[in-house]
Amino acid sequence: MVNFQKKPNGSVTVVPSLLSCDRSDLLSAVRPILSNFSVALMHVDAMDGRFVPSFGLCHKSLSNLRRAIECSFASCPQFAVHLMVRRPSAFWHDFAAVGASEIAIHFECDDGAAALARQIKSAGVRCCLAINPETKFSSCVHLLEHFSSILIMGVKPGFGGQDILPWTVEKVRTAADHRSSCGLKYDICVDGGVRCENAANLAEAGADRLIAGSAIFRSSCQKTAYGNLVSLLGG
Ligand code: DX5
Ligand code: ZN
């Protein structure tokens, strides 16, 4: 199994986000990259139509995709699930049961984040704290001791294909400064608007994982698009 936590050589992990894929045939959508690269981690967006006005993948789709990948490839990536839902307490068990390695819950959700993180971790699943673009890093800083990673949204959550908001790089830098000054070890992930044009800046600011949807899956050649991001980031 390929480890997706911080790489010792300091390179950044590129994480394909499946939101922009054709949901009727996810295996075909991921085949170009899984056939050509060792992909450590994939990002799955789940939504409730309330926290955001759209819907993502359900745990059954994730389970089917995992099974299909295991039948077609020698190894299967791990899956990180991003719960863009008001009550993650009602969703996370189903995703943990189908093998999610990490579950991200939003700081802005209606459940208590610290208590929920404890429950998720006690099930052996890593827990990530996601924050919306308008949420200041300083408002969630007290919670970070409970989480193994932070997911900084670079766009308004719920939709792929948006441009990254201009303050995202500074937010990553603020998180990286906090992490080193407090001696913490959480991973810093950026989700939304990641492209070749901004990936190096995000990495230089301290990001460990860059989650990319449309930059890969809406490209005319997914293999090239993923490969370009990986080479840019020294992966
Ligand atoms: C958006 C999702 C993202 C989405 C990113 O709310 O959380 O994971 O797939 O898509 P791009 O990379 O197109 O911004
Ligand atoms: Zn996401």
Side-chain angles (χ1 to χ4, degrees):
M1 188 178 284
V2 187
N3 185 14
F4 64 83
Q5 288 173 262
K6 199 173 188 55
K7 294 182 187 170
N9 65 1
S11 66
V12 170
T13 301
V14 178
V15 184
S17 169
L18 304 182
L19 185 64
S20 299
C21 294
D22 173 4
R23 290 183 204 171
S24 66
D25 190 0
L26 287 171
L27 183 63
S28 297
V30 299
R31 192 180 288 284
I33 52 174
L34 295 189
S35 304
N36 291 286
F37 302 95
S38 169
V39 178
L41 182 67
M42 287 190 159
H43 179 94
V44 170
D45 291 298
M47 309 179 203
D48 61 358
R50 297 165 71 219
F51 185 82
V52 290
S54 44
F55 292 92
L57 285 188
C58 66
H59 66 284
K60 287 186 183 152
S61 302
L62 173 56
S63 176
N64 291 340
L65 175 62
R66 173 193 284 283
R67 212 170 305 121
I69 291 174
E70 284 167 353
C71 289
S72 305
F73 296 93
S75 67
C76 184
Q78 295 183 56
F79 290 95
V81 176
H82 177 193
L83 294 179
M84 284 175 276
V85 301
R86 281 204 192 154
R87 303 304 303 259
S89 54
F91 286 79
W92 74 268
H93 294 95
D94 284 340
F95 284 99
V98 297
S101 301
E102 181 178 271
I103 291 180
I105 61 174
H106 265 265
F107 173 71
E108 304 84 2
C109 76
D110 293 343
D111 291 323
L116 194 49
R118 268 192 292 277
Q119 289 175 36
I120 293 172
K121 284 187 294 183
S122 69
V125 178
R126 286 162 53 95
C127 198
C128 174
L129 183 66
I131 60 171
N132 278 343
E134 70 276 11
T135 298
K136 290 203 175 345
F137 176 77
S138 57
S139 16
C140 73
V141 77
H142 60 288
L143 288 170
L144 285 170
E145 62 179 294
H146 303 287
F147 291 85
S148 46
S149 50
I150 183 169
L151 186 153
I152 295 176
M153 290 300 302
V155 299
K156 190 174 172 204
F159 304 94
Q162 304 172 71
D163 289 335
I164 197 165
L165 291 159
W167 58 85
T168 311
V169 171
E170 274 320 298
K171 212 177 207 180
V172 170
R173 203 181 302 284
T174 304
D177 289 347
H178 168 265
R179 178 174 61 183
S180 67
S181 65
C182 296
L184 295 173
K185 290 193 184 313
Y186 57 84
D187 281 358
I188 300 172
C189 317
V190 179
D191 184 13
V194 170
R195 319 240 179 282
C196 279
E197 300 80 69
N198 54 36
N201 283 346
L202 292 165
E204 180 277 324
D208 304 293
R209 287 188 241 158
L210 296 182
I211 297 151
S214 55
I216 298 170
F217 293 109
R218 288 190 200 162
S219 142
S220 55
C221 178
Q222 288 84 23
K223 175 185 164 191
T224 305
Y226 178 81
N228 286 345
L229 275 168
V230 170
S231 353
L232 187 69
L233 296 166

